[in-house]
Amino acid sequence: MRVQAVFAHPRPDSYAAAVHRTAVAALRRAGHEVRETDLYAEDFDPRMTAAEHATFKEPVYDGSAVAELTARLQWSEGLVLTYPHWWFNMPAVMKGWFDRVWAPGVAYRHDPAGGSIQPLLTGLRKVTVLTSFGAPWWVVELAMRNPARRIVRLGLVWACAPQARFDYLAHYDMDRSTPRSRARHLERVDKRLGGF
């Protein structure tokens, strides 16, 4: 499978970077063709441009500023998204990647009659999110009901690639994590991505 591994963390020595490296190694061992996209290292600008916004609902969307990233998305049969949660949401650079790259004419088409959007990522077969939270599981899942997971799963993947399977693996309570908990999570990532 052609898999794009998208990474969003400013530090290459972070735990998120270790998760990303583990995932990429497992995918390659399993025989997948992997392309890595490091949003910070590539200096991706998450801000939508005026031209993008002006053409958002026009028949032809101006996505020329992110054409290379668009091509990578359209190439992908699988996506592995690795990022931490800050304030119960993805980093701005990842949100900007969705805003600018999952664009009209690429990820979906507006219904001219004003109905539901029409999905265009028909070749996308699987999306996996690898993430972490500073808060414990019960705060994220019970108190907050994990809004960011619902947004990615329902608002993005289901809307633009309803045929794609969705998987989500998180390390909770990072603020009190231990070398053992981090190592065990990397083992889970290796096993899960080995069967991608």
Side-chain angles (χ1 to χ4, degrees), residues 42-170:
E42 294 182 30
D43 202 25
F44 173 69
D45 187 346
R47 297 172 301 169
M48 184 178 284
T49 67
E52 290 164 354
H53 191 270
T55 58
F56 196 71
K57 291 220 174 175
E58 297 299 317
V60 178
Y61 174 76
D62 182 1
S64 57
V66 292
E68 169 59 28
L69 290 170
T70 295
R72 288 184 217 171
L73 177 61
Q74 293 173 320
W75 169 88
S76 303
E77 295 172 311
L79 288 174
V80 175
L81 312 175
T82 304
Y83 55 88
H85 276 82
W86 296 330
W87 290 110
F88 301 99
N89 207 343
M90 64 186 72
V93 72
M94 181 61 81
K95 175 65 166 69
W97 180 77
F98 282 117
D99 289 344
R100 298 184 68 204
V101 178
W102 288 51
V106 176
Y108 64 93
R109 182 180 300 113
H110 290 289
D111 180 353
S116 300
I117 63 173
Q118 300 161 357
L120 294 180
L121 294 178
T122 57
L124 193 57
R125 295 163 40 197
K126 185 164 185 184
V127 177
T128 295
V129 172
L130 303 173
T131 193
S132 61
F133 292 87
W137 176 90
W138 69 268
V139 172
V140 175
E141 299 296 340
L142 301 179
M144 298 298 294
R145 296 183 47 231
N146 202 341
R149 178 177 56 203
R150 285 183 284 122
I151 289 167
V152 174
R153 183 172 59 90
L154 299 174
L156 292 159
V157 175
W158 183 81
C160 299
Q163 74 290 340
R165 290 176 294 133
F166 182 79
D167 193 20
Y168 187 90
L169 185 59

